[in-house]
């Protein structure tokens, strides 16, 4: 094994040390070159910000296309395992397998629309009509509790009038709905435009999904042909890992959400809570959002349970605890495992940031997008360390010089 050259002192070691890997990566020989690169990048960003109107058609194109593409991609990862089973196990041609999947999905969607949706719609209307009453009763119960508790002197010191609060609160709610309806009435053109976009999206999604199922596995090969030959192996590794991350997240999250919705619905039916099925569906959809979803789902259920009876609140706590334990200890580890390798604190920060920037879409798509970016950045850093693989050699040289100086 070739031994690194020995240095007489630390000063000699650092004086003969090569150019910084970052500077060399940018193609320069000094820190001044890096500063000039940063300045040039800043000037480019400034110029593009001044002529942003040129890119307006591109923004419109992406805002129009992104929703159908995202929906079609999610459905593609859900249907791809079924298509592979039909094609490899049952020896059904790919095109016929896609048609079978589309027919089955259309039949399932029809059953949901005509059997499940009317019942959920009726429960939703009743819940929206009765929820203000539940909320008012909750405020009154809390006011009575604080006035008869140990905190009564402190609470009464605030001079809180519950009747005034409720009257002003309901007036504000009424004003809010009035202004909202007025805004909707005045913006008929925008509403029609949005409705047209949704309708076009509904017709576009099946078409995009069909071609994704038919030729989706060929897309990486087509992309690789556009790259230089020496980059194709690394790019293929990135595509493979990204595909595995997104597939595991989407399939696992959907299965976990369905399991949570079924368990919550069954549990609420057992304890005879009102709107059990509707609250179960709400828990299913909100569980897609990690950490924040369960809080959103439990809030209306907790309000209804508190107003119904204290014993109902205890039963709700028992059901919710059982659901969370079963989901956290058995369902999620078996279905999703640790496929994303993302720390919980990182997930929380990503949710908060993506939600502030992009709203509900950011909350839903923030985690898979972060997982995809993490795969790309991790592989790029790995390639960077391979290109500049003298870190370990320099570290050994450094410790050798230190030992010589001690002697």
């Amino acid at each position: 094994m070739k031994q690194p050259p020995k240095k007489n002192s630390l000063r000699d070691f650092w004086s003969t040390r090569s150019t910084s890997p970052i500077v060399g990566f940018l193609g320069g020989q000094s820190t001044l070159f890096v500063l000039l690169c940063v300045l040039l990048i800043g000037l480019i960003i400034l110029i593009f910000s001044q002529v942003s109107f040129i890119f307006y058609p591109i923004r419109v194109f992406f805002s129009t296309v992104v929703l159908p593409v995202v929906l079609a991609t999610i459905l593609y990862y859900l249907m791809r395992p079924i298509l592979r089973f039909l094609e490899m196990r049952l020896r059904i041609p790919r095109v016929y397998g896609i048609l079978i999947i589309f027919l089955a999905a259309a039949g399932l969607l029809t059953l949901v629309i005509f059997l499940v949706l009317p019942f959920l719609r009726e429960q939703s209307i009743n819940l929206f009509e009765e929820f203000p009453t539940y909320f008012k009763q909750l405020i009154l119960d809390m006011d009575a509790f604080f006035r008869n508790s140990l905190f009564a002197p402190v609470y009464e010191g605030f001079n809180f009038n519950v009747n005034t609060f409720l009257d002003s609160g309901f007036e504000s709610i009424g004003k809010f709905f009035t202004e909202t309806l007025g805004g909707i009435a005045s913006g008929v053109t925008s509403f029609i435009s949005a409705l047209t976009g949704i309708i076009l999206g509904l017709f576009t999604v099946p078409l995009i999904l069909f071609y994704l199922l038919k030729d989706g596995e060929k897309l990486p090969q087509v992309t690789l042909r556009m790259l230089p030959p020496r980059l194709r192996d690394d790019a293929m590794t990135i595509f493979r890992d990204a595909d595995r991350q997104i597939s595991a997240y989407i399939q696992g999250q959907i299965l976990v959400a369905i399991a949570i919705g079924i368990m919550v619905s069954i549990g609420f039916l057992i304890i005879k809570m009102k709107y059990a099925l509707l609250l179960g569906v709400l828990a299913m959809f909100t569980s897609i959002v990690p950490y924040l979803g369960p809080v959103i789902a439990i809030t209306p259920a907790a309000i209804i349970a508190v107003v119904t009876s204290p014993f109902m609140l205890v039963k709700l706590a028992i059901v919710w605890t059982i659901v969370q334990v079963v989901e956290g200890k058995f369902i999620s580890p078996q279905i999703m495992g640790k496929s994303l390798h993302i720390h919980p604190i990182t997930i929380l920060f990503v949710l908060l940031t993506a939600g502030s920037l992009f709203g509900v879409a950011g909350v839903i798509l923030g985690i898979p997008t972060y997982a995809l970016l993490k795969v790309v950045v991790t592989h790029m850093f790995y390639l960077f360390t391979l290109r500049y693989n003298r870190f370990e050699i320099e570290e050994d040289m450094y410790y050798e010089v230190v030992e010589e100086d001690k002697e």
Side-chain angles (χ1 to χ4, degrees):
M1 180 177 179
K2 185 178 180 180
Q3 297 294 331
K6 295 184 179 181
K7 305 297 177 183
N8 295 326
S9 66
L10 286 175
R11 179 178 297 179
D12 294 335
F13 169 75
W14 291 113
S15 63
T16 59
R17 191 172 184 269
S18 58
T19 305
S20 170
I22 298 178
V23 177
F25 179 76
L26 294 176
Q29 297 295 328
S30 65
T31 306
L32 179 62
F33 178 82
V34 177
L35 295 177
L36 291 176
C37 290
V38 173
L39 179 61
L40 180 61
I41 294 173
L43 290 176
I44 293 174
I45 294 174
L46 177 62
I47 293 173
F48 276 103
S49 65
Q50 297 300 320
V51 294
S52 59
F53 60 89
I54 298 177
F55 303 97
Y56 177 74
I58 299 177
R59 292 203 306 268
V60 173
F61 172 77
F62 278 103
S63 62
T64 305
V65 171
V66 67
L67 179 61
V69 170
V70 169
L71 292 177
T73 303
I74 293 174
L75 294 174
Y76 165 72
Y77 279 107
L78 292 177
M79 296 181 178
R80 186 176 65 175
I82 303 174
L83 179 61
R84 287 178 175 175
F85 175 79
L86 294 176
E87 187 178 16
M88 297 180 179
R89 295 293 183 88
L90 302 182
R91 304 295 181 182
I92 298 177
R94 177 173 287 263
V95 175
Y96 293 111
I98 296 173
L99 293 177
I100 292 173
I101 292 174
F102 273 37
L103 290 175
L108 181 62
L109 185 62
T110 303
L111 289 177
V112 170
I113 291 175
F114 286 99
L115 297 180
V116 181
L117 196 60
F119 176 75
L120 294 179
R121 177 178 175 274
E122 182 181 356
Q123 281 208 339
S124 301
I125 294 174
N126 294 334
L127 179 59
F128 282 126
E129 290 178 351
E130 296 182 5
F131 195 77
T133 305
Y134 285 116
F135 183 76
K136 182 177 181 180
Q137 187 61 43
L138 175 64
I139 298 298
L140 292 174
D141 292 342
M142 292 178 62
D143 179 72
F145 171 77
F146 282 116
R147 291 187 183 280
N148 297 320
S149 65
L150 297 176
F151 305 100
V154 179
Y155 180 72
E156 292 175 356
F158 288 106
N159 294 323
F160 178 73
N161 192 326
V162 65
N163 294 321
T164 304
F165 171 77
L166 290 175
D167 293 338
S168 61
F170 281 107
E171 287 179 2
S172 301
I173 294 173
K175 183 179 179 181
F176 170 76
F177 279 110
T178 302
E179 293 177 353
T180 303
L181 292 176
I184 293 176
S186 62
V188 175
T189 304
S190 300
F191 175 75
I192 293 176
S193 176
L195 184 62
T196 304
I198 294 174
I199 293 175
L200 290 176
L202 292 177
F203 282 101
T204 307
V205 168
L207 185 63
I208 299 175
L209 177 61
F210 176 82
Y211 284 104
L212 280 178
L213 290 172
K214 183 176 181 293
D215 301 320
E217 296 182 357
K218 301 178 182 178
L219 289 178
Q221 299 296 332
V222 175
T223 307
L224 290 176
R225 295 193 189 101
M226 303 178 186
L227 299 176
R230 64 188 183 90
L231 297 179
R232 291 177 182 176
D233 292 338
D234 297 325
M236 190 63 197
T237 303
I238 294 176
F239 287 148
R240 191 183 302 113
D241 289 348
D243 178 75
R244 186 176 65 252
Q245 291 268 6
I246 297 175
S247 175
Y249 180 81
I250 292 177
Q251 296 173 8
Q253 201 67 42
I254 296 297
L255 292 176
V256 170
I258 293 174
I260 290 177
I262 293 174
M263 288 190 299
V264 170
S265 299
I266 294 175
F268 286 176
L269 287 173
I270 292 175
I271 65 176
K272 298 181 180 180
M273 174 175 283
K274 296 184 66 175
Y275 310 110
L277 294 180
L278 179 61
L279 294 174
V281 173
L282 177 63
M284 180 180 68
F285 282 105
T286 56
S287 62
I288 297 176
V289 182
Y291 300 109
L292 300 180
V295 177
I296 300 173
I298 195 62
T299 301
I303 294 176
I304 295 173
V306 168
V307 174
T308 303
S309 68
F311 186 58
M312 179 61 72
L313 182 61
V314 174
K315 293 190 291 185
L316 170 65
I318 294 174
V319 170
W320 196 258
T321 302
I322 294 174
V323 170
Q324 294 301 314
V325 170
V326 172
E327 184 270 333
K329 297 295 183 180
F330 300 100
I331 297 179
S332 290
Q334 295 297 325
I335 295 178
M336 296 189 68
K338 296 183 179 179
S339 57
L340 293 181
H341 302 284
I342 303 176
H343 196 275
I345 296 297
T346 305
I347 292 178
L348 184 60
F349 286 161
V350 170
L351 289 176
L352 294 176
T353 305
S356 300
L357 292 175
F358 306 106
V360 178
V363 172
I364 296 174
L365 302 177
I367 301 301
T369 303
Y370 173 81
L372 180 61
L373 292 176
K374 182 183 176 183
V375 169
V376 176
V377 173
T378 301
H379 281 81
M380 294 298 294
F381 180 77
Y382 175 71
L383 295 177
F384 175 80
T385 56
L386 285 181
R387 181 174 179 179
Y388 299 98
N389 57 356
R390 51 181 184 267
F391 294 109
E392 295 182 359
I393 298 176
E394 290 182 351
E395 184 179 1
D396 294 339
M397 292 171 61
Y398 172 78
Y399 286 114
E400 184 178 357
V401 170
V402 171
E403 293 298 330
E404 290 180 357
D405 287 347
K406 287 182 179 179
E407 295 176 358

